[in-house]
């Protein structure tokens, strides 16, 4: 059992580690060579640029200004200088609301910590129960400050009961204010937002197939009939997943080709070679540059074939479509109503913004979604419970007495004072952090398999899974150490009334472990976040081996994002620990307060200078955060009830029953009062914004604005490829024209030469006329698509990406 001395060792190690990380960050961030690692967001926003011309070779890599090294914490005022409205304009509402979670933690726990330390700690210390049980019970100095030091049946428990009510009312009050503020911020953000494609667009899924019509014609006919006044057009969804995989494969091969070409340019005396066998150790030896060029050429042929298949195969069109309307009001009506008598067909919802769409999952048939989600639910359940095995091993490290009984030969080593303090005070939290490092990636893959169609929903679902994992394994698993089967047996075979008692008894004993975990994860871990070790190493490796142009250097930057799927559950765990231990062991609260304050500064700096959020959901994750904090309150009530029942507080314990009831009522009230602002768009607001837009821009052409907003990104590659082909054709034509001009000015040529010149001119004219007719037919085809007419494709037509299909009877 960890003592105050062990906590001191852990605190020293973590504070020293955080100090070293911050010191390294202070030095590395001001080096010009690292500028794109620590300020990538400013580069992407074109608010920062290097001036290489005015610097010497040394100054391009190293900062020689000594004064900049003295200001160790200069980044702190820079992180606090930007106001909240400016931050919303700079980084979006998602980032600002995420930061408000940290300030909410400070608003909740600062007053609670003050009351708990001033009132509950003196009450616990004066109990003296543990001193009287010194021979029977093993305890640490920290336990003297907890509720464990109060004698059973004591009237002092009425003070703990009163504090539980005060803390609950304070948390609910702050949650109500924050929910109200965030809901107002969301509505204001949506009202003041510029015109966006998702404001007029609805995603339609499970479109029924008919033999007489194509999917596009079915959608067009359905919405003309049921939304005749506001339906504008649609963008079909094509299954281009296979083509996207080929594109990614080509990018990887191209990176290797660029690397070997750069290597050959630096050392032209020797061409790079390799063997084609397993891992390059066997097989015939080939030239690397020629090898990758051949593979890329072969892959391009496959891509051309796959492109033809996507554009020409009717089966490539999925029963999903992005349907647009000529007003926000029309889109809101469609998105928030049932479209068909059959509730499983024509399912409509607000379309995510274009950069939020997860295109790979749009191709998943609707029927398989329920099966996928059921299987993933089973897999998550198994992962949550069977991950307890390594967690239990971690917890065994904190109990060295049991370890010495199992392995007596380790006793001479374990009993060394420094080793013992390290094992009990630092290693368990570090090991748990390492185990949790790979988990978010696994859970994100599971969420992708479930079939969610937006990046924001993927992150929210990942956060939900991760929260359940943290609750069961990190919280409950750490409190009740045991194997997975023992956990299941205890929870399934014990009476329900015994479960709170079982948890309540163990909670005070695990306070020291959670203190060490907070120091490792919340102190040193946050300092490591600002240092950005992994992006720093990857950027310099790419810069050394791959980067050849300024565009390559921009691609080498990895700004990353907040990572809501991983960070939200971690935040919710801290709320859970703070609320559970506020009455039980108040000494834990200062550790949590330090985390919230430090993390707020770090993430504010990162959001301003580093993170580039992939999407904007207008704080759609906030209801989930609110629900998790309410769940933490309920867990704190249940555990306190179980703990006090073991203390024989028969008079005070029954009064706790009203707390969870009041909390549930409060949650339902907030849900009905504020959550609709996060799920639906008010028709009044939509109509008002439409009227304002029509008054300010009466000639607005929504057709052109929405034309390619939801075109699959892969089709943009089609267009780029077509442009490249056209450029190549133009270059060939220019070369021929120049050749003809040179031949025309050669007066000494013989008659045979003149004849050859004549044939060349004839060929050039025929080529030029053919190209012109092709461009003319291409323009006419494009116009036909834009008018809603489907032209008949001939065998000689080049495939073009699908264009927007308009309801041309409606004028915007």
């Amino acid at each position: 059992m960890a003592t105050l001395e062990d906590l001191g060792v852990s605190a020293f190690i973590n504070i020293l580690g955080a100090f070293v990380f911050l010191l390294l960050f202070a030095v590395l961030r001001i080096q010009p060579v690292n500028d794109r690692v620590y300020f990538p967001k400013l580069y992407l926003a074109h608010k920062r640029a290097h001036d290489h011309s005015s610097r010497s070779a040394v100054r391009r890599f190293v900062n020689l200004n000594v004064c900049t090294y003295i200001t160790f914490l200069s980044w702190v005022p820079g992180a606090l200088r930007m106001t909240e409205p400016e931050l919303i304009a700079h980084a979006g509402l998602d980032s600002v609301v995420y930061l408000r979670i940290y300030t909410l933690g400070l608003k909740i726990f600062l007053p609670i910590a003050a009351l708990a330390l001033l009132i509950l700690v003196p009450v616990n210390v004066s109990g003296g129960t543990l001193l009287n049980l010194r021979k029977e019970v093993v305890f640490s100095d920290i336990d003297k400050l907890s509720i464990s030091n109060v004698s059973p049946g004591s009237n002092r428990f009425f003070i703990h009961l009163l504090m539980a009510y005060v803390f609950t009312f304070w948390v609910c009050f702050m949650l109500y204010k924050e929910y109200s503020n965030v809901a107002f911020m969301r509505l204001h953000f949506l009202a003041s937002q510029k015109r966006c494609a998702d404001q007029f667009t609805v995603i339609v899924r499970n479109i029924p197939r008919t033999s007489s019509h194509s999917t596009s014609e079915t959608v067009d006919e359905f919405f003309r009939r049921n939304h005749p006044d506001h339906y504008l057009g649609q963008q079909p969804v094509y299954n281009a997943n296979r083509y996207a995989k080929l594109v990614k494969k080509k990018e990887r091969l191209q990176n290797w080709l660029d690397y070997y070409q750069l290597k050959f340019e630096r050392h032209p005396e020797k061409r790079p070679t390799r063997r084609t066998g397993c891992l390059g150790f066997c097989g015939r030896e080939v030239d690397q540059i020629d090898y990758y060029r051949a593979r890329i050429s072969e892959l391009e042929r496959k891509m051309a074939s796959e492109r033809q298949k996507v554009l020409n195969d009717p089966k490539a069109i999925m029963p999903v479509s992005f349907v647009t309307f000529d007003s926000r009001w029309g889109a809101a009506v469609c998105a928030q109503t049932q479209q068909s008598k059959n509730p499983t067909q024509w399912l409509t919802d607000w379309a995510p913004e274009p950069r939020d769409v997860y295109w790979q999952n749009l191709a998943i048939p609707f029927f398989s979604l329920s099966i996928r989600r059921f299987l993933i639910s089973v897999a998550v359940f198994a992962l949550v419970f069977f991950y307890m095995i390594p967690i239990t091993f971690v917890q065994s490290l904190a109990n060295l007495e049991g370890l010495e009984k199992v392995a007596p030969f380790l006793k001479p080593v374990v009993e060394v004072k420094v080793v013992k303090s390290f094992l009990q005070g630092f290693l368990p939290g570090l090991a748990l952090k390492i185990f949790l490092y790979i988990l978010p990636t696994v859970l994100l893959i599971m969420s992708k398999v479930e079939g969610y169609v937006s990046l924001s929903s993927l992150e929210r679902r990942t956060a939900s899974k991760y929260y359940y994992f943290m609750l069961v394994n990190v919280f409950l698993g750490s409190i009740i150490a045991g194997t997975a089967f023992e956990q299941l047996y205890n929870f399934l075979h014990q009476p329900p009334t015994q479960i709170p008692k079982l948890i309540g008894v163990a909670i005070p004993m695990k306070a020291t472990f959670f203190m060490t975990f907070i120091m490792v994860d919340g102190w040193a871990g946050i300092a490591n976040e600002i240092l950005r070790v992994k992006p720093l190493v990857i950027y310099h490796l790419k810069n050394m081996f791959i980067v050849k142009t300024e565009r390559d250097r921009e691609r080498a930057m990895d700004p990353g994002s907040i990572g809501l799927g991983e960070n939200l559950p971690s935040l919710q765990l801290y709320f859970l620990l703070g609320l559970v231990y506020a009455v039980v062991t108040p000494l834990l609260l200062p550790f949590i307060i330090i985390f919230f304050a430090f993390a707020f500064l770090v993430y504010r700096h990162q959001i301003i200078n580093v993170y580039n959020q992939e999407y904007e959901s207008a704080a759609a994750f906030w209801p989930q955060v609110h629900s998790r904090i309410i769940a933490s309150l309920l867990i704190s009530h249940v555990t306190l009830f179980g703990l006090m029942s073991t203390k024989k507080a028969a008079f005070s314990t029954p009064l706790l029953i009203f707390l969870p009831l009041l909390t549930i009522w409060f949650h339902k009230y907030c849900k009905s009062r504020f959550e609709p602002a996060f799920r639906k768009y008010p028709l009044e607001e939509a109509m008002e914004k439409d009227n304002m837009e029509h008054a300010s821009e009466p000639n607005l052409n929504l057709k052109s604005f929405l034309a390619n907003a939801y075109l699959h990104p892969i089709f943009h590659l089609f267009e780029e490829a077509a442009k490249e082909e056209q450029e190549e054709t133009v270059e060939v034509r220019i070369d021929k024209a120049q050749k003809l001009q040179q031949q025309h000015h050669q007066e000494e040529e013989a008659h045979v030469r003149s004849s050859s010149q004549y044939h060349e001119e004839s060929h050039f004219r025929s080529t030029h006329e053919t190209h012109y007719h092709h461009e003319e037919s291409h323009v006419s085809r494009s116009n036909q698509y834009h008018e809603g007419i489907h032209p008949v494709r001939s065998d000689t037509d080049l495939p073009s990406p699908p264009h927007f299909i308009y309801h041309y009877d409606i004028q915007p």
Side-chain angles (χ1 to χ4, degrees), residues 172 175-177 179-180 626 630 661-676:
C172 291
L175 280 176
Y176 180 84
K177 287 187 62 177
Y179 213 149
S180 176
H626 175 87
I630 291 294
L661 297 178
L662 291 173
T663 304
I664 293 173
W665 172 84
F666 169 76
H667 175 58
K668 288 187 174 181
Y669 174 77
C670 288
K671 190 178 180 69
S672 59
R673 172 68 178 83
F674 298 115
E675 192 168 327

Side-chain angles (χ1 to χ4, degrees), residues 109 467 470-472 474-476 479 507 514 569-582 588-589 592 596 628-637 639:
F109 289 114
Y467 172 77
M470 300 279 274
L471 174 64
V472 174
V474 179
F475 183 69
L476 296 179
I479 289 173
I507 277 181
F514 288 120
S570 299
L571 266 173
Q572 292 154 7
L573 176 66
Y574 285 106
F575 277 99
L576 174 62
L577 294 177
L579 293 174
V580 168
Y581 280 97
L588 185 101
L589 296 177
I592 291 179
F596 278 119
R628 298 290 182 262
I629 299 176
I630 291 294
S632 300
L633 263 182
L634 293 174
I635 293 172
S636 69
H637 298 155
T639 54

Side-chain angles (χ1 to χ4, degrees), residues 266-279:
R266 292 173 178 174
H267 304 283
E269 68 278 359
K270 181 181 179 182
R271 290 182 68 87
T273 59
R274 63 163 286 175
R275 295 187 179 274
T276 58
C278 179
L279 300 177

